[in-house]
Amino acid sequence: MPPWLLGSLCCCLLAARAALGGGSAGAEAAEAEEEKLIRVLVLLPQDDAYLFSLGRVRPAIEYAVRSLRESGGGLPPGYSFQLTYEDSACGNRALFSLVDMVALQRRRPDLLLGPVCEYAAAPVARLAAHWDVPMLSAGALAAGFGAKGGEYSHLTRVAPAYAKMGEMLLALFRHHQWSRATLLYSDSNPERSCYFAMEGVHVVFQEEAFHMAVHSFDESSRHLDLDDVVRTLQTGERVVIMCASGDTIRNIMLAAHRQGMTNGDYAFFNIELFNSSSYGNGSWRRGDKHDLEAKKAYSYLQTITLLRTVKPEFEKFSLEVKSSVQKQGLHEDDYVNMFVEGFHDAILLYALALQEVLKFGFSKKDGEKIVQQTRNRTYEGIAGQVSIDANGDRYGDFSVIGMTDPEAGTQEVIGDYYGKQGRFEIRSNVKYPWNHGRLRLDESRVSEHTNNTPCKSSGGLGESAVTGIVVGALLGAGLLMAFYFFRKKYRITIERRTRQEDCNMGKHRQLREDSIRSHFSAA
């Protein structure tokens, strides 16, 4: 072989070897970069009618990502987030978006944020468990999602579930020595927030064998008669827990006041959901002709809300979120609610869990390991301390707001509940407006008995015979009356249940096996 040909062949071989080596190094670098890129799929509704719309929550998520990047210690070195936002439409579109991402892009997300709506979250949570993808949400608060042993195993809830609020109310009832309640709620919006909230209370109370009367209504109905709703309350228990919009709660209290129910014989509690005035706004003031009457009625109403804490960083966060939301044309009273805070804190929780997993030699693909590290953990969130229990649910801290000055109509926090400790603290010198003796008498259902002494002129019958006749007559009359009222009440109950079942048939049909499993029924 000529020397020049041998030289050319050697050069070609060296060039080919260099090219192959460079390609291998490039592939390794790309693989290393991919390993440190955390793909996040955010599934929230585009519609700004929801308190957890993309427009409201996105600034909070990006604030958290930016804070981690700027702090330098929040994420492992070289790691970064890639955020993809999809419209969940609070329905099946959430599931379709997840499937499309996997089928079309040939890659699974490393983290799911959302959905919030129960009917959207259920199938997504099942698929997340099947694909070993962590799912963090400030929603999916219904009691059915508490069963984390199987299909919801990869779900961590970074906002207090409704059952946590039930635990708070249980502590409140124990404080007052109550064991009976009426649950009254509006069941009119598609996401059925008040329905699921009352389900959480019902589940906790049922475990304690509390007696409950349950009533629902559609506040969007043109035929709604709140006077009739209040008359229904008079046939139930004296401690009433309510969930509806702020204006509807005010109208119920006005109706109760006009029907003489604000004299201390009833205790009313109003659930303010999500730290938002959209649900259960506890204020009586509207600037209308009914303000004076409402102020009197609200002296017998106490509001349950999430405990509010203030940190210097929270003020900065609130202003930045407000500015971002206003740029989208949204102008409202509540720019930062439970969902906005929750999804911010979800990013922080995932970063902490990922760091722990990497220490043990695992990777971002080990979803189950990451989920385990999100549980039994306490960390600092944007508004205060966040504690997640062993089941992957956030402990709930709540406050009770009551009227402390009936003349001025001043409403203040009168008690706090700390979920992790299970401790309920009442402020000193709190005076309750209701009649404790009357409520507790109603609790024990003590009936009054008249001591009738038999007449001495017995017509020749012995005293024991007279006593037997009198007792027998009383027992017979009592049984007849009991049968009459039982039959009457039974018929009314059946009629009411039938009407309720007909009214809610369409809604309850949605609560099926391919959605979530619920043990609560208002019918």
Side-chain angles (χ1 to χ4, degrees), residues 485-500:
F485 285 113
F486 172 80
R487 186 174 179 272
K488 183 178 179 182
K489 184 176 180 181
Y490 182 78
R491 185 174 66 252
I492 291 172
T493 302
I494 292 297
E495 288 173 357
R496 183 180 299 145
R497 287 172 64 95
T498 302
R499 287 197 301 269
Q500 188 70 33

Side-chain angles (χ1 to χ4, degrees), residues 241-297:
I241 303 172
M242 303 182 289
C243 180
S245 68
D247 288 340
T248 298
I249 292 293
R250 185 174 186 260
N251 289 332
I252 289 174
M253 290 306 299
L254 286 169
H257 182 67
R258 291 162 189 157
Q259 295 187 33
M261 296 175 67
T262 54
N263 57 4
D265 288 348
Y266 289 85
F268 293 92
F269 292 91
N270 161 42
I271 295 173
E272 181 187 89
L273 296 179
F274 318 136
N275 269 11
S276 168
S277 60
S278 299
Y279 288 91
N281 176 15
S283 173
W284 53 267
R285 198 186 305 273
R286 295 292 188 278
D288 60 20
K289 63 180 181 180
H290 301 299
D291 268 2
L292 183 59
E293 197 177 9
K295 182 174 69 172
K296 293 178 181 177

Side-chain angles (χ1 to χ4, degrees), residues 403-479:
M403 190 173 288
T404 54
D405 185 348
E407 291 298 321
T410 306
Q411 294 171 293
E412 298 177 313
V413 173
I414 61 172
D416 295 310
Y417 173 77
Y418 300 94
K420 188 175 182 181
Q421 296 80 20
R423 187 177 76 252
F424 191 77
E425 296 181 355
I426 295 290
R427 300 283 205 274
S428 59
N429 301 320
V430 172
K431 294 181 179 180
Y432 297 105
W434 49 74
N435 185 336
H436 272 288
R438 181 65 181 272
L439 291 174
R440 288 176 184 170
L441 181 68
D442 191 62
E443 282 286 302
S444 58
R445 288 294 192 270
V446 176
S447 59
E448 295 180 3
H449 296 279
T450 304
N451 184 19
N452 293 320
T453 304
C455 180
K456 290 184 180 180
S457 178
S458 58
L461 292 174
E463 184 175 344
S464 60
V466 172
T467 303
I469 291 171
V470 171
V471 171
L474 289 173
L475 286 174
L479 287 171

Side-chain angles (χ1 to χ4, degrees), residues 187-257:
D187 193 14
S188 53
N189 55 11
E191 61 268 26
R192 308 183 75 192
S193 301
C194 281
Y195 169 89
F196 288 116
M198 285 303 187
E199 178 199 28
V201 177
H202 188 277
V203 166
V204 173
F205 278 17
Q206 194 172 46
E207 290 175 354
E208 298 295 317
F210 280 15
H211 183 275
M212 291 167 284
V214 183
H215 303 285
S216 68
F217 59 91
D218 183 351
E219 62 184 311
S220 65
S221 172
R222 294 179 301 167
H223 306 293
L224 176 63
D225 184 349
L226 288 178
D227 286 320
D228 187 50
V229 171
V230 170
R231 280 190 288 272
T232 302
L233 293 179
Q234 293 172 349
T235 66
E237 308 302 332
R238 294 186 181 273
V239 182
V240 183
I241 303 172
M242 303 182 289
C243 180
S245 68
D247 288 340
T248 298
I249 292 293
R250 185 174 186 260
N251 289 332
I252 289 174
M253 290 306 299
L254 286 169
H257 182 67

Side-chain angles (χ1 to χ4, degrees), residues 331-348:
H331 300 277
E332 51 200 19
D333 297 329
D334 304 306
Y335 290 96
V336 177
N337 55 46
M338 180 188 81
F339 302 110
V340 174
E341 293 177 21
F343 281 107
H344 171 280
D345 295 346
I347 289 287
L348 304 186

